Amino acid sequence: MDRGKPGSKMHVLSDANGLPLGVGVSAGNTHDSEGLKPMVAGHQTRHDPHRDRYFKPLRLHADKAYDRQDLRKWLRGKRIGVRIARKGIESSERLGRRRWVIERTMSWLSGYRRLSPRYERNPRNYLAFLGLAAAMCCYKRLVRLTT
């Protein structure tokens, strides 16, 4: 969080392979942890009508910015496992075995010229381009897997 910084932050929710499931935008001077609840709450669960079962995320991996007791409790209430690096305990030098996946996804999204420096003044337009970039990432992955 940088209190005087203008701009915006990208919030990305991805699966274990790095495919973006949901994207969001917040102000640059807000804390990262404020974007977690809307991202998880906005994620649609998949329903299997044959087994009458819902598929929901099993675990959430996040960095130290999301290490808050109320967020941990909220996620446990939704029966989502929490793997958040703890402040003052775990080293920030390593990205960890699984956190590099989201870092790779963020680099895929920031590789699009329209997103890296933010040209859009309206946050809805920027969010639309961010969603389009996420769809392009999924499409490229699909093409690579099917050919």
Side-chain angles (χ1 to χ4, degrees):
M1 177 168 118
D2 191 5
R3 296 185 199 288
K5 180 182 175 188
S8 60
K9 292 182 184 179
M10 288 190 296
H11 298 279
V12 179
L13 185 67
S14 75
D15 67 351
N17 296 320
L19 291 176
L21 300 174
V23 292
V25 177
S26 68
N29 60 356
T30 59
H31 198 267
D32 290 339
S33 62
E34 299 297 322
L36 181 68
K37 281 186 181 179
M39 291 298 293
V40 174
H43 177 65
Q44 296 292 322
T45 58
R46 204 173 74 216
H47 181 251
D48 185 6
H50 300 296
R51 297 183 187 171
D52 196 32
R53 192 175 153 196
Y54 286 93
F55 295 96
K56 65 177 183 62
L58 299 176
R59 264 179 252 113
L60 179 92
H61 297 270
D63 62 356
K64 291 181 184 183
Y66 298 95
D67 186 25
R68 288 185 14 199
Q69 194 61 32
D70 62 323
L71 289 177
R72 288 178 182 269
K73 189 175 182 178
W74 183 76
L75 287 167
R76 275 192 225 112
K78 291 194 161 290
R79 295 185 179 153
I80 297 174
V82 179
R83 299 232 178 168
I84 299 176
R86 292 170 289 171
K87 294 178 186 173
I89 297 174
E90 297 174 12
S91 173
S92 61
E93 293 174 3
R94 296 184 341 151
L95 286 177
R97 276 190 251 160
R98 295 173 183 90
R99 194 168 161 264
W100 67 272
V101 174
I102 192 65
E103 295 295 333
R104 181 184 63 183
T105 305
M106 294 295 280
S107 70
W108 286 345
L109 292 175
S110 63
Y112 289 95
R113 184 172 165 249
R114 192 78 183 216
L115 296 177
S116 187
R118 182 176 167 177
Y119 294 115
E120 305 301 321
R121 293 185 65 94
N122 190 344
R124 289 189 305 180
N125 292 346
Y126 183 70
L127 182 62
F129 280 117
L130 186 59
L132 187 59
M136 290 292 293
C137 289
C138 293
Y139 176 73
K140 286 180 180 180
R141 179 70 177 209
L142 179 68
V143 167
R144 191 178 326 139
L145 289 175
T146 57
T147 57

